[in-house]
Amino acid sequence: AAAGGDKTQGSLGAGKNYLEEAGMHSPMSVVRKSAKDPGANTTTAYVKNPQGPPLDYSFLEIRTIEELREVMPRSGYRKEPPETIEDDNGQPQPNHLRDEWTKPPRDDLQTNALKLGNNLLTSLPPVFNIILREVMDKPRNLSWIDLSFNQLEEVPAVLASHLYSRLNVIYLHANRIRKISQAACLSDLPNLRSITLHGNPCEQTTNYRLHAIGIFTTIKSLDFTTITAIDREKANTFYNRYLAQKEQRRSADKE
């Protein structure tokens, strides 16, 4: 399967603080100082559209993204399943997920994070866009996704869509991604702040860290390690030289 190490690191461990890493907060209510007694706290009205827990499909041995239609998440609040589904003959039948579904405690609770780590996924095809609309009320709000410890051989380009422009955090560590250059497809995500790629074969690329930081101009963290100003300066110098040499080779091949 995937690379070695603690299989929960970055999937569950880091995921516990996903709101903090993605720059979000999830207060169900706000606390104000009492006007009469500034030292006393008084709970006031609910915060509008609070952040709910991640939709957690990790450790479910999922092989294809379509299987999200057939299983309930381990935790979190998925979108209400339809009352009926079609069987193999195209006939409607009762949807068993209705019996397992739990209504969120609030109608405006926002689910912006998706855990798919520690499964058997080999790819994330375009149908992911359809599946996500079926399990999340507002998939465009997706800001954090964990795909670590799967069997992905390529960086999922489907995440580069404008549909996911709010993505802050992407975990891709411990997969089977061989080429660091593939990650460039995600470099235009405007709000990306953290990405992980360690534990993939591409980590063995010469100057891997400089290359990855050079690709992603907006990130503040790579592989759970903060990017310093010196890191950024070195990476920019390296990557610009790399691109120049690549262009020279391309021009030479045309002659």
Side-chain angles (χ1 to χ4, degrees):
D6 180 359
K7 295 191 71 175
T8 62
Q9 183 181 1
S11 179
L12 295 179
K16 292 178 181 178
N17 297 315
Y18 86 96
L19 288 171
E20 181 178 333
E21 183 173 8
M24 302 182 293
H25 304 280
S26 73
M28 291 296 286
S29 59
V30 281
V31 177
R32 260 184 213 161
K33 297 294 183 182
S34 168
K36 295 181 179 179
D37 181 6
N41 292 331
T42 302
T43 302
T44 61
Y46 277 161
V47 170
K48 185 179 180 181
N49 299 324
Q51 305 298 333
L55 203 55
D56 187 358
Y57 287 96
S58 60
F59 294 99
L60 293 178
E61 299 185 355
I62 293 172
R63 295 179 179 274
T64 65
I65 200 66
E66 289 89 342
E67 291 178 40
L68 267 62
R69 290 171 167 159
E70 305 168 6
V71 296
M72 289 297 294
R74 300 168 66 243
S75 61
Y77 300 100
R78 69 150 282 168
K79 186 176 181 179
E80 183 175 4
E83 293 186 2
T84 61
I85 55 175
E86 292 186 355
D87 60 18
D88 295 338
N89 297 318
Q91 299 299 314
Q93 61 178 356
N95 188 350
H96 70 91
L97 294 184
R98 298 280 298 186
D99 297 331
E100 305 174 43
W101 181 68
T102 301
K103 181 179 175 63
R106 290 182 53 175
D107 292 337
D108 62 347
L109 195 66
Q110 300 292 312
T111 298
N112 297 342
L114 180 63
K115 286 185 174 183
L116 290 168
N118 291 275
N119 280 300
L120 302 170
L121 294 169
T122 57
S123 66
L124 204 65
V127 72
F128 171 77
N129 297 328
I130 298 173
I131 302 300
L132 201 60
R133 289 199 299 270
E134 294 179 11
V135 300
M136 291 181 66
D137 282 312
K138 296 181 178 180
R140 285 178 177 268
N141 288 345
L142 183 67
S143 60
W144 186 99
I145 186 168
D146 179 5
L147 288 160
S148 63
F149 292 98
N150 275 282
Q151 299 176 14
L152 299 175
E153 297 187 357
E154 297 183 354
V155 173
V158 68
L159 297 179
S161 167
H162 68 280
L163 297 173
Y164 310 117
S165 62
R166 297 187 181 183
L167 270 173
N168 279 275
V169 179
I170 302 176
Y171 291 163
L172 291 169
H173 56 279
N175 276 282
R176 299 177 176 179
I177 299 167
R178 295 187 175 278
K179 296 182 178 180
I180 185 63
S181 58
Q182 290 181 354
C185 67
L186 303 178
S187 63
D188 289 334
L189 288 171
N191 294 300
L192 189 62
R193 297 294 179 267
S194 177
I195 190 168
T196 61
L197 289 162
H198 60 286
N200 284 283
C202 67
E203 189 181 13
Q204 304 305 315
T205 303
T206 303
N207 295 312
Y208 156 77
R209 184 169 173 81
L210 292 175
H211 201 137
I213 295 174
I215 289 174
F216 297 103
T217 59
T218 64
I219 62 173
K220 307 298 182 184
S221 172
L222 172 67
D223 299 338
F224 302 124
T225 301
T226 300
I227 297 170
T228 66
I230 294 177
D231 290 336
R232 176 59 66 187
E233 183 178 353
K234 289 181 177 179
N236 288 346
T237 300
F238 166 82
Y239 196 62
N240 288 335
R241 185 170 62 246
Y242 164 80
L243 291 178
Q245 292 173 346
K246 185 177 180 180
E247 182 60 30
Q248 289 175 0
R249 289 193 298 269
R250 184 180 301 167
S251 300
D253 290 341
K254 291 181 179 179
E255 295 178 357

